[in-house]
Amino acid sequence: MRALKWIVGILLLVVVGLGFYLTVLFDPNDFKPQIIAAVEKQTGRTMTIDRDLSWTFFPSLGIEAGGITLSNPKDFAEKKMVAVNQIVANVALLPLLSKDVQISELKLDGLQLNLETAKDGRNSFDGLAGKATSSAPKTDTQVADSHSNNLTLAGLNIGGISVTNAQVRLLDRQQGTENIFTLSSLTLGALALDKFAPLAYQFSGEMPQMTLASEGEGQLKISANLQQLDLKDFSIKNTVKGGSIPHGEMQANLNADIHIDTAKQALSLVLSQLTVADISGSGDMTVAYGGKVPQVETKLAFGDIDLDKLLPAAPETSNKDAQPKASSPAATTEPDLSGMKAVNMTLGLSVKSLKVAGLTTENWVMNAKLNNGVLELQQMTADLYQGKLNASAKVDGRQPVASYSFNSSLSQVHLRPLLTDAAQIDMLAGNANITAKGSGSSLLPDNIKKNLDVNGSFNIADGALYGINIPLMIRNAQAKLKGDLSSPKAEEQKTDFTSLTGNFTVKDGVANNPDLAMSSPLIRLSGAGGANLLQESLDYRLKTALVDTLKGQGGKGSEQLAGIEIPLLISGSFAEPKFSLDTDALFKNKLKDEAEKAKDKLKDSLFKKLGVQ
């Protein structure tokens, strides 16, 4: 027993003596020149440590340092790449022997990163990478072993973590831009395994045309096996300001719960509330990131969305000061869709109502899937203008020039308010059923018009053509045939019809309609024509025929023209269509009809004289 006491006493004396030597006689600053020289040899950069190092070894293992800098490459404008004002870390020593980590304080203050990209393309990280110990890639067995050898701790207790006044400056000399991101504070309260600890931060960003202010708080928990992390009641408030932001400022906030499982390499997020300006919604997302391509599943539901409120107001200009604007040059490079291969995703989206460019729709439901660079819109339905939209589509982004296909239908849609709101075209009314199926390649606007290949049909019931009064045009033509050259009376430019049907195709930038047919109690109309999508011009040649009389639409009787085909031309542009009668063809048809009548009258007269009945 006495021998055991001597042994314990000697060991205790050794520990105390070693602690006295390390804390009193040992000066860690003696190693500063070696540390600085090693860094310079490894990176080619200059390192400075202005303040003395202060270490403690018992009862806690700790370090305090400050005034640390690491230079950028020699010819960079920003001399310092890294600067740290103060680092403080204290870890209880004896509990480490039993894998119980007790950290009384972790503090980082005044971290500054100046990350510069020079005009020749070099950046601050060039030359920092050390020599790799092995260039051979890890085998699947090695990767599996690395996951199986998980770190386990008997305990983890952190008195607090504090990061203050951290700043990252991104300077791009090629683009002439500077972005500054500042983490004013990041604090984590007392943290123990399997217990929640309070977390809070304040962050800001200054970009060339935008500023961001963000703050958040929540509760953080780390599991005992260090494989799971939970962040609950995580609330973030963001304020974005800038000239390109609607009304100069926008609020974007969210409340969420996040769970990360490193063993399963999975992340899940429950979004209890997302608010962007006046848009609010909720949803959830899961991410499996263990494979070569992450797998993402997302479901989102939004309320009323008015995108028109988010669009910048058009500047007011007087007619005197108004100048024609030069058209922007058309894009000549296909958009790069290679990023579509970086993730596989399924998306379910619902929107209560959506308003954009004056067009109002309701009850949006969309299911989409992105897999191996192919985006498939499996289902999209919406209610619009007392009717229904149903569509599906696919975009293949695997090739440099993307290709696409679609199949869509509109049923029982009130056409006039739709066209008025969507394109400011007040030309056609009625209950419309329209189908269209097509495909194409290239996403450049001009190429879309050139390469679009579509087949479709339309059936419009109980409607009207606005901007043209066909019966009035016929009456005026009849008056001219009789020699009446007086000015016609002004009447509403509108032609009612009971049905308007036809099929259409789009090919090589031209839309063709070979079988337009319109019927009403008064007239019949048929014909063919097309529209040049590239030039936005119209070219229709139609034939109208009176059924019997024009009474009921302003006429007193037009039996003289009943049955005669009356040619009607539609030309002009999409924005300003022009309607006119082909008077030459009308006179020829009238003369032909009169000649036939005279011929029949002469024939009847001869037969009568010859006594032939």
Side-chain angles (χ1 to χ4, degrees):
M1 179 66 71
R2 182 176 297 178
L4 181 61
K5 290 182 179 179
W6 275 102
I7 293 173
V8 172
I10 292 171
L11 290 175
L12 182 60
L13 182 63
V14 170
V15 171
V16 173
L18 180 61
F20 176 79
Y21 168 74
L22 292 176
T23 57
V24 178
L25 302 179
F26 175 77
D27 187 359
N29 293 285
D30 293 340
F31 293 91
K32 286 170 57 175
Q34 291 92 324
I35 296 173
I36 293 171
V39 171
E40 185 171 357
K41 181 179 179 180
Q42 182 71 18
T43 66
R45 309 288 182 86
T46 300
M47 182 180 185
T48 62
I49 305 177
D50 293 336
R51 301 180 190 174
D52 289 342
L53 300 177
S54 175
W55 291 359
T56 59
F57 295 92
F58 192 84
S60 64
L61 178 64
I63 181 173
E64 181 174 350
I68 301 172
T69 65
L70 179 66
S71 69
N72 262 315
K74 293 182 179 180
D75 55 348
F76 274 37
E78 290 295 327
K79 301 304 180 182
K80 297 178 182 179
M81 175 183 171
V82 182
V84 179
N85 179 49
Q86 184 185 35
I87 298 176
V88 177
N90 289 303
V91 182
L93 182 60
L94 293 180
L96 285 176
L97 302 177
S98 58
K99 294 185 177 181
D100 184 4
V101 180
Q102 296 183 9
I103 302 174
S104 59
E105 182 182 21
L106 285 176
K107 181 179 180 181
L108 176 63
D109 177 65
L111 171 65
Q112 183 167 353
L113 296 177
N114 297 313
L115 306 179
E116 184 176 351
T117 300
K119 290 184 178 180
D120 59 6
R122 294 177 300 123
N123 61 61
S124 296
F125 292 106
D126 288 345
L128 284 180
K131 295 181 179 179
T133 56
S134 173
S135 60
K138 289 185 178 181
T139 64
D140 293 340
T141 302
Q142 289 173 322
V143 174
D145 290 343
S146 68
H147 289 305
S148 61
N149 297 329
N150 293 307
L151 174 65
T152 57
L153 296 177
L156 174 65
N157 290 276
I158 301 177
I161 296 176
S162 173
V163 179
T164 55
N165 303 316
Q167 186 178 88
V168 178
R169 296 175 65 213
L170 304 178
L171 303 118
D172 192 331
R173 304 301 181 187
Q174 292 179 321
Q175 303 295 328
T177 60
E178 179 179 5
N179 297 287
I180 302 175
F181 302 99
T182 303
L183 182 62
S184 301
S185 66
L186 172 64
T187 58
L188 178 64
L191 175 67
L193 295 179
D194 277 334
K195 293 183 179 180
F196 282 101
L199 171 71
Y201 77 88
Q202 287 186 334
F203 173 85
S204 64
E206 296 181 16
M207 291 148 280
Q209 297 180 352
M210 184 184 303
T211 62
L212 168 67
S214 178
E215 61 180 34
E217 60 182 7
Q219 299 286 323
L220 176 68
K221 182 177 75 172
I222 301 174
S223 64
N225 60 7
L226 304 181
Q227 295 180 354
Q228 296 181 351
L229 183 147
D230 287 280
L231 189 57
K232 74 172 184 177
D233 300 329
F234 190 41
S235 174
I236 298 178
K237 297 179 179 179
N238 300 309
T239 302
V240 185
K241 297 180 179 180
S244 60
I245 304 299
H247 311 295
E249 181 176 333
M250 180 183 296
Q251 302 288 330
N253 308 321
L254 67 84
N255 294 315
D257 293 332
I258 303 172
H259 175 77
I260 301 175
D261 191 323
T262 58
K264 297 180 180 179
Q265 295 182 291
L267 177 149
S268 63
L269 179 147
V270 177
L271 193 62
S272 56
Q273 184 178 16
L274 170 65
T275 303
V276 179
D278 294 331
I279 302 171
S280 61
S282 61
D284 58 75
M285 178 177 66
T286 60
V287 180
Y289 56 86
K292 182 179 291 186
V293 179
Q295 306 287 329
V296 180
E297 295 186 8
T298 305
K299 292 182 179 179
L300 296 171
F302 291 95
D304 300 320
I305 299 178
D306 188 348
L307 295 181
D308 288 344
K309 291 183 178 180
L310 302 181
L311 298 176
E316 295 182 1
T317 58
S318 63
N319 294 333
K320 180 180 179 181
D321 298 331
Q323 297 292 333
K325 294 183 179 180
S327 59
S328 301
T332 57
T333 304
E334 292 286 345
D336 184 5
L337 301 184
S338 59
M340 292 171 58
K341 297 181 182 179
V343 64
N344 293 333
M345 179 178 66
T346 60
L347 171 66
L349 175 66
S350 64
V351 180
K352 182 180 179 182
S353 70
L354 175 63
K355 182 180 180 183
V356 57
L359 190 66
T360 303
T361 57
E362 297 176 330
N363 300 323
W364 278 87
V365 176
M366 184 177 73
N367 294 315
K369 181 178 181 181
L370 176 62
N371 185 58
N372 191 31
V374 178
L375 176 61
E376 184 178 1
L377 183 62
Q378 299 168 318
Q379 177 197 22
M380 184 175 72
T381 60
D383 298 334
L384 69 162
Y385 297 91
Q386 290 75 53
K388 193 80 173 180
L389 165 68
N390 198 319
S392 61
K394 181 183 292 187
V395 177
D396 190 338
R398 293 175 293 183
Q399 301 300 323
V401 178
S403 59
Y404 55 88
S405 60
F406 61 89
N407 193 347
S408 62
S409 66
L410 293 173
S411 57
Q412 295 301 310
V413 172
H414 287 201
L415 203 54
R416 188 184 188 190
L418 171 63
L419 292 176
T420 302
D421 289 348
Q424 291 75 51
I425 296 176
D426 188 10
M427 179 180 175
L428 186 61
N431 293 330
N433 294 292
I434 304 172
T435 62
K437 184 176 182 180
S439 61
S441 61
S442 177
L443 298 180
L444 297 177
D446 287 343
N447 289 346
I448 290 176
K449 296 178 182 179
K450 294 177 184 177
N451 301 336
L452 191 60
D453 189 350
V454 182
N455 287 279
S457 63
F458 58 89
N459 186 336
I460 306 172
D462 301 324
L465 286 172
Y466 288 86
I468 178 174
N469 189 327
I470 296 177
L472 177 61
M473 295 177 71
I474 294 174
R475 290 200 305 274
N476 292 337
Q478 179 181 350
K480 291 180 180 180
L481 288 176
K482 293 180 177 180
D484 184 1
L485 301 180
S486 61
S487 299
K489 294 181 180 180
E491 294 185 16
E492 183 182 9
Q493 296 299 304
K494 172 186 170 185
T495 301
D496 298 319
F497 61 81
T498 55
S499 69
L500 180 65
T501 63
N503 296 284
F504 63 89
T505 61
V506 179
K507 188 80 172 177
D508 299 326
V510 177
N512 284 305
N513 168 220
D515 57 355
L516 182 70
M518 186 181 80
S519 62
S520 77
L522 305 173
I523 59 175
R524 297 289 185 268
L525 182 148
S526 63
N532 190 310
L533 303 181
L534 301 176
Q535 300 176 2
E536 297 188 354
S537 60
L538 295 167
D539 183 15
Y540 260 90
R541 295 182 178 273
L542 308 175
K543 294 180 179 180
T544 63
L546 301 181
V547 176
D548 184 16
T549 178
L550 293 181
K551 290 179 180 178
Q553 192 155 333
K556 297 181 179 179
S558 299
E559 291 80 358
Q560 294 184 24
L561 294 179
I564 298 177
E565 291 186 346
I566 304 171
L568 178 65
L569 305 181
I570 303 178
S571 58
S573 65
F574 293 174
E576 296 182 359
K578 298 178 181 179
F579 305 92
S580 61
L581 288 177
D582 188 345
T583 54
D584 290 340
L586 174 59
F587 285 134
K588 290 178 181 178
N589 289 340
K590 178 62 177 175
L591 290 175
K592 181 180 178 180
D593 182 68
E594 293 294 337
E596 291 294 333
K597 289 181 178 179
K599 183 178 178 180
D600 291 340
K601 186 176 181 180
L602 179 59
K603 187 186 298 185
D604 292 341
S605 178
L606 290 173
F607 286 158
K608 186 175 181 179
K609 290 181 178 180
L610 295 174
V612 180
Q613 298 295 331

